[in-house]
Structures are given as structure tokens and as C-alpha cells.
Amino acid sequence: MAGKDVLPREQIDQALAGLPDWRYHDGGLVTVFKTPTAAAALELIAAVGRLAEEQNHHPDLDWRYNRVFIRYSSHDAGGQVTERDLAAAAGASGAAAAVGANAEPSRYPSGT
């Protein structure tokens, strides 16, 4: 595990105060964005994909009609949270706002 990049839980919690769309769950940052339409969900997925390519940091995501489930963790850091995950989450929130999505982080499945 690449320990030097992994953020301690206290630092993650502090950062999440500025990222209200996101929650810490099972070693990663998670959220669910509800979009107005399925087409808007696909727009969000495409925007997150573009950000992922720019940042070279790719999330796990799942699409269910008008909801997009996103999880960020750094696989090269043992699946833990790093600064890259915080930056990526902020970018995804911006992309979500651009398509009129609302964050529903409490809807992220607890078994995932």
C-alpha cells in the first residue's frame, strides 16, 4: 500500500465539510446524483469520464435510469482516499450541477 498519499480520516472529514455532495464509506468517497432525466444522467457520466481522463483518475460508477452512483478511491494507494479523490469528487460535483443533478449521498448502498 502506498501510505504516503493516503489521507487520515480526520483530514477526509475536514475536506468533506466543503464537499456536501459526498460521504466517506468503506474506504472511499461516495455519492448518488439524481438527474432530471436518463439523458442527463448519461451527460453526467460523459462529463465525469472526461474529467477522469484529464485527471488520470477514474471512479467506479453505476447508472440506474436517472441516478448515477459514484465512488472514488485510489487503487494505487490501497483503495484508500487521497487528495486526487477529493479533487475528482469536487469536479464531479461541478459536472452534476451543470446537468441539474441533485446529490443524494445517503442513497449510496451500504453493502457496496
Side-chain angles (χ1 to χ4, degrees):
M1 181 185 320
K4 69 178 181 119
D5 293 335
V6 175
L7 298 176
R9 179 64 191 267
E10 304 79 39
Q11 192 172 349
I12 295 167
D13 290 341
Q14 289 173 355
L16 287 174
L19 293 169
D21 295 347
W22 297 84
R23 300 288 180 268
Y24 179 83
H25 174 69
D26 197 25
L29 302 180
V30 300
T31 197
V32 178
F33 288 113
K34 181 180 179 186
T35 61
T37 64
L42 289 171
E43 289 177 36
L44 175 56
I45 291 168
V48 169
R50 285 189 296 275
L51 289 169
E53 288 297 304
E54 290 170 10
Q55 299 169 339
N56 193 26
H57 193 58
H58 303 81
D60 297 326
L61 57 81
D62 190 16
W63 170 44
R64 300 283 189 248
Y65 177 57
N66 68 337
R67 285 190 171 86
V68 179
F69 297 72
I70 305 176
R71 182 179 194 280
Y72 281 105
S73 66
S74 293
H75 301 288
D76 62 348
Q80 299 298 309
V81 175
T82 66
E83 289 287 343
R84 290 168 294 165
D85 300 300
L86 296 172
S93 287
V99 300
N102 295 312
E104 299 178 330
S106 65
R107 291 186 63 113
Y108 196 87
S110 60
T112 304

